[in-house]
Amino acid sequence: MWYTAHPFFSVVHAVADSSVFLPDEFLAQMRAAMPAHLSFEAFIAACQRPLRRSIRVNTLKITVDDFLALVAPYGWQLSPVPWCEEGFWIERGDEDAFPLGSTAEHLSGLFYIQEASSMLPVAALFADGATPQRVMDVAAAPGSKTTQIAARMHNQGAILANEFSASRVKVLHANISRCGISNVALTHFDGRVFGAALPEAFDAILLDAPCSGEGVVRKDPDALKNWSPESNQHIAATQRELIESAFHALRPGGTLVYSTCTLNREENEEVVQWLLARFPQAVETLPLGTLFPQASEALTAEGFLHVFPQIFDCEGFFVARLRKTASVDPLPAPGYKMGKFPFTPMKGRDAAQLISAARSMGLQWDETHTLWQRDKEIWLFPASIESLLGQVRFSRIGIRLAESHNKGYRWQHEAVIALAQSETLAFELTPHEAEEWYRGRDIYPEHPPVTDDVLVTFQGFPLGLAKKVGSRLKNSYPRELVRDGRLFTHKA
């Protein structure tokens, strides 16, 4: 069993037959960093407690009140997260019966499983009534903050969501699609390229920086197994490069939020202070003491939020909010070649025909999205991203709407989830039929629909399109989303 001796106690915590590992040097560092009004013993105790689970209601699809009414039969105990009005800590009596991610409400994108403290950076990004129209999320996977940003933007404007890890881009897109988001463009780059590639292009930027993860020991007891002061220094050097790049990509007057899920000052306060010292005439701190009623309990002298886990009984986190007050000398232009952009705008008769066909299927969008075409593929781009086309290579923009063929259009699942608003075409599934749908199986309704093409729904929310073939509804649920194991589409 791993343990760390301390002059006053031993740090040993059994979680799934393992122990929270807190190195001596880390404890000494935390003792030095702990503000006087906080108890170091309370910090150790908090690290030993299992992390409370939390969720965020996806207000793109459902209001908070309607969500609470919908899940009331589960008997969940939901406690509000102070800094996120759609966020809740959740206690479940049915915890062992089925995974939270296997509920119909999660599968249909009505809520996102997100740690409460990770909701803080987006709250800071939109503080004081901020309404940015073009936002960048520099390190976006798995998508918790990107989807939170999209909900705050009401699917308007545009979000550039970047992820450096190729293996995580697929998960990022899956979460964006599940939540019905249409205003995101994905990129796959080292975040240090954006200052040169897209100078002064964004109204707001979230840099939730890669870090040593000291704040996540309640979720991962082994998070600090490879921890060292030298590693902190190496990570901080990368963070400084990332924050400088993000600062160059921000327009004057724009907001930059820097956050980590770690606790040492070297990766937090000192990174921000480095930026302030580097551009003293062009950046200022926006204090976060009024972000929510209890924010002063985590407020640093500089106006940042340094959330030790004992303060709000959540993961450790750090958040700083900055404003760019003036332009700075630009970085050298990037040396990469873009190549030819493979899409062309879809206009005139072709666009009108497509829009008419979409409306007949109950798919609707507004003028903040535009139609583009690549061969037989038809895409819906957020209009606010179009000025960036040709400046950086995108992995994916907006949503794939349809594929054209001789008989019309083949509507794509992600478009149906994001855009379907038809009640006339809706065919509501029973709980059993919904479970069959999520398993990728065809549906054999007792009373088949009248029309051949239907929008199948459950609890009033779209699951996809189905075609009636005889007495069955042919399942169009994407193979990669098909679920095995026990699913719960109704309450006990």
Side-chain angles (χ1 to χ4, degrees):
M1 175 177 286
W2 283 100
Y3 72 96
T4 298
H6 190 269
F8 302 102
F9 38 71
S10 295
V11 180
V12 181
H13 175 42
V15 176
D17 297 323
S18 65
S19 304
V20 170
F21 178 64
L22 302 175
D24 287 327
E25 287 183 281
F26 168 73
L27 291 173
Q29 195 179 87
M30 290 300 99
R31 179 177 285 278
M34 196 78 58
H37 72 279
L38 294 181
S39 162
F40 187 68
E41 287 75 12
F43 167 71
I44 296 297
C47 289
Q48 296 182 51
R49 289 195 298 270
L51 182 66
R52 293 191 288 171
R53 298 202 78 183
S54 49
I55 63 173
R56 176 178 49 80
V57 178
N58 179 17
T59 53
L60 289 175
K61 292 200 167 196
I62 190 171
T63 67
V64 171
D65 287 344
D66 286 347
F67 176 81
L68 295 178
L70 183 64
V71 302
Y74 281 126
W76 296 343
Q77 296 183 39
L78 297 172
S79 306
V81 173
W83 47 86
C84 181
E85 64 182 15
E86 63 270 20
F88 296 89
W89 282 290
I90 178 171
E91 294 182 40
R92 301 172 55 204
D94 54 9
E95 186 79 44
D96 297 330
F98 63 100
L100 193 57
S102 292
T103 60
E105 293 79 9
H106 182 266
L107 293 173
S108 58
L110 304 189
F111 71 91
Y112 196 106
I113 302 170
Q114 181 177 356
E115 210 287 311
S117 58
S118 84
M119 302 175 196
L120 270 169
V122 176
L125 200 68
F126 288 85
D128 303 322
T131 56
Q133 290 302 298
R134 189 189 291 154
V135 179
M136 176 163 62
D137 187 353
V138 180
S144 56
K145 298 173 188 66
T146 302
T147 55
Q148 188 180 356
I149 292 169
R152 291 297 298 264
M153 295 175 70
H154 308 290
N155 248 344
Q156 304 295 298
I159 304 167
L160 188 154
N162 178 68
E163 177 52 44
F164 180 53
S165 171
S167 63
R168 304 183 77 198
V169 172
K170 186 176 181 180
V171 174
L172 173 60
H173 173 254
N175 281 323
I176 289 169
S177 177
R178 179 175 60 84
C179 291
I181 293 168
S182 59
N183 69 336
V184 170
L186 299 179
T187 55
H188 167 46
F189 287 108
D190 185 317
R192 289 172 285 198
V193 310
F194 290 106
L198 299 173
E200 299 189 350
F202 297 94
D203 304 318
I205 294 177
L206 172 59
L207 172 56
D208 188 46
C211 66
S212 56
E214 297 164 348
V216 303
V217 292
R218 298 177 63 179
K219 182 168 59 181
D220 178 7
D222 294 335
L224 301 184
K225 281 290 179 69
N226 297 314
W227 182 95
S228 71
E230 294 75 23
S231 176
N232 287 359
Q233 295 167 11
H234 178 75
I235 292 169
T238 300
Q239 292 166 336
R240 289 192 292 271
E241 294 175 349
L242 285 167
I243 199 172
E244 181 178 12
S245 176
F247 184 71
H248 278 280
L250 186 68
R251 67 163 177 82
T255 301
L256 169 61
V257 168
Y258 174 81
S259 62
T260 75
C261 59
T262 203
L263 296 171
N264 67 83
R265 290 184 61 88
E266 189 167 17
E267 296 179 55
N268 292 326
E269 288 91 341
E270 292 179 17
V271 170
V272 179
Q273 295 291 4
W274 176 87
L275 184 73
L276 291 168
R278 183 160 175 75
F279 303 106
Q281 305 302 318
V283 60
E284 64 181 6
T285 300
L286 297 175
L288 292 167
T290 59
L291 185 62
F292 59 99
Q294 300 85 21
S296 59
E297 298 177 32
L299 196 68
T300 71
E302 304 94 337
F304 312 140
L305 293 179
H306 195 135
V307 181
F308 289 90
Q310 73 269 35
I311 303 177
F312 305 117
D313 195 17
C314 59
E315 280 188 351
F317 228 84
F318 174 84
V319 184
R321 186 174 185 236
L322 307 169
R323 176 187 288 132
K324 186 173 183 176
T325 58
S327 295
V328 296
D329 292 337
L331 296 172
Y336 57 75
K337 295 181 179 180
M338 280 298 302
K340 184 179 180 181
F341 188 63
F343 292 89
T344 56
M346 190 178 192
K347 298 179 179 180
R349 181 182 299 177
D350 290 341
Q353 183 178 350
L354 181 282
I355 291 171
S356 176
R359 297 293 185 267
S360 71
M361 295 301 297
L363 307 181
Q364 300 184 40
W365 58 90
D366 58 29
E367 68 281 353
T368 65
H369 296 78
T370 55
L371 291 168
W372 290 72
Q373 190 165 13
R374 178 178 63 182
D375 299 325
K376 294 184 178 182
E377 296 178 359
I378 302 166
W379 290 68
L380 202 60
F381 288 3
S384 295
I385 209 72
E386 291 177 13
S387 62
L388 304 186
L389 300 179
Q391 297 184 54
V392 68
R393 185 184 297 276
F394 291 95
S395 301
R396 191 180 188 99
I397 306 174
I399 56 177
R400 188 164 62 173
L401 179 61
E403 292 182 1
S404 61
H405 56 85
N406 293 336
K407 296 182 180 181
Y409 306 97
R410 184 175 297 107
W411 306 106
Q412 301 300 296
H413 177 77
E414 62 182 297
V416 173
I417 295 303
L419 306 172
Q421 300 179 31
S422 172
E423 294 183 3
T424 57
L425 288 174
F427 183 79
E428 180 75 2
L429 300 183
T430 67
H432 173 71
E433 290 168 348
E435 285 190 342
E436 293 293 284
W437 179 269
Y438 285 128
R439 297 183 194 281
R441 299 169 184 166
D442 290 348
I443 307 299
Y444 293 84
E446 183 176 353
H447 303 289
V450 177
T451 58
D452 290 338
D453 295 300
V454 295
L455 171 67
V456 294
T457 62
F458 182 65
Q459 299 174 327
F461 297 95
L463 305 189
L465 291 177
K467 182 174 287 293
K468 185 174 69 171
V469 180
S471 62
R472 67 185 172 98
L473 295 180
K474 189 175 180 181
N475 195 318
S476 65
Y477 200 51
R479 298 299 99 184
E480 66 271 16
L481 299 181
V482 168
R483 301 295 295 261
D484 295 320
R486 196 171 185 183
L487 301 177
F488 275 68
T489 55
H490 58 285
K491 290 80 174 172

